[in-house]
Amino acid sequence: MIIKPFKIDIPQIDLDDLHERLARTRWPDELPGVGWSRGVPLGYLKELADYWRTRYDWRKHEASLNQFPQFTTEIDGANIHFLHVRSPEPNAFPLILTHGWPGSIVEFLDVIGPLSDPRSHGGNPADAFDLVIPSVPGFGLSGPTREIGWTEQRIAAAFAELMRRLGYDRYGAQGGDVGAVVSPDLGRVDPEHVVGIHVNAASIGFMPFPPLDDAELAQLTDAEKARVERIVQFLAEGFGYSQIQSTRPQTLAYGLTDSPVGQLAWIVEKFQEWTYGTQRPEDIIDRDRLLTNIMLYWLTGTAGSSARLYYEGKHSGSWGQQRGNTPTGVAVFAEDIAIRRYAEQANNIVHWSEFNRGGHFAALEAPDLLVGDIRTFFAKLR
């Protein structure tokens, strides 16, 4: 199948429509003194929406994204958009990076240079990678999907075909969140070519599902017990978005596709909850970077189709069906919940790192740590 060069070029009418919608936002009321406990605070979101409407410059960030070589190709009936950044080093190792929800290719902008051109970023040129960074089917510029059945396993199979079309016979896979499900599945569907898998923000296949009995808890370290407590808290107070997306994504899609402030709140809440050590996500991640990520959902109308991935995963019954044998490395950042003894039940763990900073969006929050750990893991597998 044909691989076509691609350039982002959003019609001005779509940007004008966004600005008009933001200006006409119908705001809800808010109880006094509740902060973030019941969702995104009204005052915070009003200020952020005003910045989005009056100061954020999409054309600037569109041009920045277009500095990277981009392509599209059709695989299994879906349009796949991807960045393909070849290293200037002749012996660079191929690596496919897979984002999660509510992320996008924007997550990886700070790691592209250090991974593809370490010589220019104070690193060893022997650690260079050729990077393939797809938009997950249903997300952003690879969306929307047009039929049911786009599970993580089907995405992995599509990415295996993408790497074949690009001529890569041996390659590695890295990802966080959804990418930490797709990447191990790549090792399962393409074991002859995937030589190693590296994940962060890992959950399914890398963590226990509470409640744990007393005997099991007694075997855990204090750090592992703290992760179990975070899992319990997440399931009790932070899991609502997943329950909705995995049961009624179509109903959700109407509000998020029609209201930019609705889309903004739905995503920025997760950046606030899942970044490490902050009350406002832009204390950790550049505000324009956050909005560029949100723009890829808004401009492509993929709030609903990205949510459908949760529905497919919940209803496919395919999680945990097969142990992975590909060598796997795990980076556990300060907000992550992976526990090695559980990860080893489903994966061939050969590398495990733990960090005291960084959160769910490691490529945005702690790109230096993530790049270093990716280099260390794959150095033994090239």
Side-chain angles (χ1 to χ4, degrees), residues 27-50:
W27 295 99
D29 69 337
E30 180 184 48
L31 293 172
V34 298
W36 286 85
S37 64
R38 303 185 182 214
V40 184
L42 179 61
Y44 169 83
L45 201 65
K46 279 188 171 182
E47 193 275 328
L48 184 57
D50 182 70

Side-chain angles (χ1 to χ4, degrees), residues 213-226:
D213 61 34
D214 291 342
E216 191 170 0
L217 280 171
Q219 298 177 27
L220 304 182
T221 67
D222 289 344
E224 291 170 342
K225 288 176 182 176

